[in-house]
Amino acid sequence: MSINNEQPTNDQEPADFVIGRHPAMAAIKSEQQINKVFIQSGLQADVLNDIAKIAKKRHLIVQYVPKQKLDRLTDNANHQGVAVGVAAFEYATIDDLFAVAKAKQEPPFFLILDNIEDPHNLGSIMRTADAAGAHGIIIPKRRAVGLTSTVAKTSTGAIEHVKVARVTNLVQTVKELQTAGLWIFGTAMDGTDYRRWDASGAVGLIIGNEGKGISPLLQKTADEMLTIPMIGHVQSLNASVAASLLIYQGYTSRHPLGN
């Protein structure tokens, strides 16, 4: 099966850092190419010692540096005493996502993010996607956040396990996914109550932009719209919160409780 099989363009991405203790540990345990591990000198913590041990077993360069240097390398982010210099984060192809589902012998469950701009939202969605067993994420190449160190830290290591494919045209990609047998769902104010959503088949779930929602053409292309009922004063949820609710409804329909 070959769908919009655009090749990843990692060569266009700058080298980056994975920062924070849990993301750093996940990175050095993964197969990602690592350039160097920076650990804050004089800082005592078991997890930092474990990171150094594992890094040395992999024959990685471990450098103990003053806090000021870590602050500078990470642009004053909350690095927790460790930063891992990595090669550009790797992107997958759509075929790679299908391969993940096939390996698990499950119908595909893809997330399609329509111009998500906040790296914290992308990291949070990635974290939930990993927890709920989604098979991959599709994002556009332009006007959307990509895989950055902030995304990696927010994902708390999920970036090492959830494949992300970047495509030029989301609408065209959705049409190709439909041709391949996926039923595509979006979100809107007027739609089927998400608690009735049966995601047990091959599905793609579109999550809209933080401010604009799903673009009109993409919404028109979707097969069915879902809505999250709200009885309070606010009429919208944060994109990653809405995504989490929907993703776990997908999980619930795929893994129902036994009687």
Side-chain angles (χ1 to χ4, degrees), residues 141-186:
K141 286 183 176 178
R142 296 182 178 180
R143 297 187 297 278
V145 65
L147 299 181
T148 67
S149 58
T150 302
V151 173
K153 187 173 190 299
T154 309
S155 78
T156 63
I159 196 170
E160 307 295 343
H161 306 289
V162 179
K163 292 187 179 297
V164 178
R166 289 197 305 179
V167 299
T168 303
N169 188 319
L170 274 184
V171 172
Q172 182 61 34
T173 297
V174 164
K175 290 179 179 177
E176 291 172 351
L177 291 174
Q178 289 169 321
T179 300
L182 272 72
W183 197 260
I184 305 298
F185 296 84

Side-chain angles (χ1 to χ4, degrees), residues 236-250:
S236 64
L237 296 174
N238 171 276
S240 63
V241 173
S244 295
L245 289 171
L246 293 159
I247 291 168
Y248 261 92
Q249 175 58 26

Side-chain angles (χ1 to χ4, degrees), residues 31-50:
E31 297 180 353
Q32 184 173 9
Q33 182 179 342
I34 293 174
N35 298 324
K36 187 182 288 187
V37 179
F38 297 91
I39 296 177
Q40 183 176 327
S41 56
L43 188 61
Q44 298 299 320
D46 289 343
V47 66
L48 294 180
N49 293 332
D50 291 341

